[in-house]
């Protein structure tokens, strides 16, 4: 069972790391912080609840079952963090959000203390690594401690489910998908973990033995529920970012034909050593460098080349926009050839503005790059060897 629990803890920790990939900006965002804290606490709970961890904690402290209040206290803190995460995610007036967060802490903080105090008052000399809840179900103070952590967790899961169901009716897209995943995870937790625990404990109270529900059914269901809930919290935030990164990588690659033609003339500063880590930074630097190169090549632009290429493209049946981009690609290719050959620029510089410089984003440059890929290349000089003339 330890392997399954550790795996769940690892997946949760990885999810938290992905969200916290930019620490400087993440710490200023309460939603990111609360999401990372909640998921990280979930990972800690799973790591603490593994039999191997419990045995190690008990041995290090010399107190039988000391891992129980540690795990249950962390679970209670995790429940509170889920509530705070939901409050920050739902949003609202900052003062109201702050007050609601403080109220949640005011309720669950004493609950954590009560778990520790009840364990200290109880008599639990026999170490139980997998069936503590049922073994001590009738033991004074231990009984109350077990019920207290379960009730605290149940209250949060029920509240989370209600809020997510109501909120899901008001939103669409990825946010609605995330809320539905949270509801599914909450139901798995409620039915697969909590109800099995309650049933096994109640069976002990009535003299029956249904311990397998607590020891065999509940742990994997808790792991599955936590993973599904975490996916619901994380996906609406990671998917758009992942999509943006993928688009950045794609645009960066598609700009390759254009960059290979003009890189020898660009004087844009080199990116920092860690620039490769983020696709949007790679794309931004390439856009800046290309625009810098286009500015340097502007004195070589020949309107006659452009107009001839545009007329040829129109005769081929291309649309006006396609003909314009094709003509600009031909003009740029000729300008790059002349600059690389160290020829003199145009006696009367062109005042023409390229489509790629008129639109924001990488779209215009990508169009130019793809058109340039179909234009025959010529030899170019080494990077930085071209004399740049004032525009």
């Amino acid at each position: 069972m330890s392997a399954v629990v550790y795996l769940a803890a690892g997946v949760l920790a990885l999810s938290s790391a992905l969200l916290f990939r930019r620490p400087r900006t993440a710490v200023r965002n309460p939603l990111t912080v609360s999401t990372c804290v909640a998921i990280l606490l979930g990972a800690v709970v799973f790591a603490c609840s593994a039999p191997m961890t419990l045995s190690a904690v008990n041995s290090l402290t010399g107190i039988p079952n000391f891992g129980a209040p540690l795990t249950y206290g962390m679970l209670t803190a995790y429940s509170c963090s889920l509530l705070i995460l939901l409050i920050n995610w739902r949003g609202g007036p900052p003062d109201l959000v702050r007050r609601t967060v403080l109220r949640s802490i005011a309720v669950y903080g004493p609950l954590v203390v009560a778990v520790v105090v009840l364990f200290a008052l109880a008599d639990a000399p026999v170490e139980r690594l997998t069936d503590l809840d049922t073994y001590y179900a009738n033991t004074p103070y231990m009984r109350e401690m077990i019920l207290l952590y379960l009730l605290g967790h149940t209250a949060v899961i029920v509240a989370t489910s209600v809020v997510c169901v109501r909120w899901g009716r008001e939103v669409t897209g990825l946010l609605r998908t995330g809320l539905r995943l949270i509801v599914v995870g909450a139901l798995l937790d409620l039915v697969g973990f909590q109800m099995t625990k309650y049933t096994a404990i109640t069976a002990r109270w009535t003299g029956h033995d249904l311990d397998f529900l607590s020891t065999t059914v509940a742990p994997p269901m808790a792991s599955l529920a936590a993973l599904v809930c975490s996916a619901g919290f994380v996906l609406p935030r990671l998917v758009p970012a992942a999509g943006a990164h993928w688009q950045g990588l794609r645009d960066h690659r598609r700009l390759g034909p254009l960059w290979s033609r003009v890189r020898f003339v660009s004087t844009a500063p080199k990116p920092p050593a860690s620039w490769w880590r983020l696709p949007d930074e790679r794309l931004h630097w390439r856009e800046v460098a290309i625009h810098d190169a286009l500015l340097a090549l502007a004195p070589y632009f020949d309107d006659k080349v452009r107009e001839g290429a545009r007329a040829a493209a129109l005769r081929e049946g291309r649309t006006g926009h396609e003909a314009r981009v094709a003509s600009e690609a031909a003009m740029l290719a000729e300008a790059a050839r002349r600059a690389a050959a160290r020829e003199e620029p145009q006696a009367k510089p062109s005042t023409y503005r390229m489509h790629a410089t008129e639109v924001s984003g990488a779209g215009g440059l990508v169009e130019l790059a793809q058109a340039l890929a179909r234009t025959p290349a010529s030899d170019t000089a080494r990077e930085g060897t071209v004399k740049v003339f004032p525009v």
Side-chain angles (χ1 to χ4, degrees), residues 136-150:
Y136 288 108
N138 291 307
T139 302
Y141 298 115
M142 287 293 286
R143 174 182 59 231
E144 286 76 11
M145 181 193 73
I146 294 166
L147 282 177
L148 195 61
Y149 94 80
L150 282 174

Side-chain angles (χ1 to χ4, degrees), residues 31 85-92 97 163 166-168 170-171:
L31 178 56
L85 169 56
L86 197 62
I87 293 168
N88 282 316
W89 200 15
R90 179 69 175 179
V97 170
V163 172
R166 291 178 178 174
W167 191 9
E170 304 171 5
V171 296

Side-chain angles (χ1 to χ4, degrees), residues 345-367:
Q346 291 291 107
K348 184 179 180 182
S350 172
T351 59
Y352 178 79
R353 287 196 63 188
M354 301 180 71
H355 170 69
T357 63
E358 293 179 340
V359 296
S360 59
L365 291 177
V366 168
E367 284 186 298

Side-chain angles (χ1 to χ4, degrees), residues 150 176 191 194 224 249 304 312 335 381:
L150 282 174
R176 173 180 285 183
V191 176
Q194 296 173 50
L224 179 60
L249 285 172
K304 293 180 179 180

Side-chain angles (χ1 to χ4, degrees), residues 256-274:
L258 175 56
W259 176 236
S260 65
R261 295 288 188 95
V262 302
R263 63 184 302 173
F264 70 95
V265 75
S266 177
T267 58
K270 299 299 181 184
S274 61

Side-chain angles (χ1 to χ4, degrees), residues 1-6 46-60 67 127 129-130:
M1 186 175 71
S2 293
V4 175
V5 175
Y6 285 140
F46 282 116
C48 290
S49 64
M52 288 179 59
T53 305
L54 293 173
S55 178
V57 169
N58 295 339
S59 299
L60 287 173
E127 184 182 57
L129 300 179
T130 59

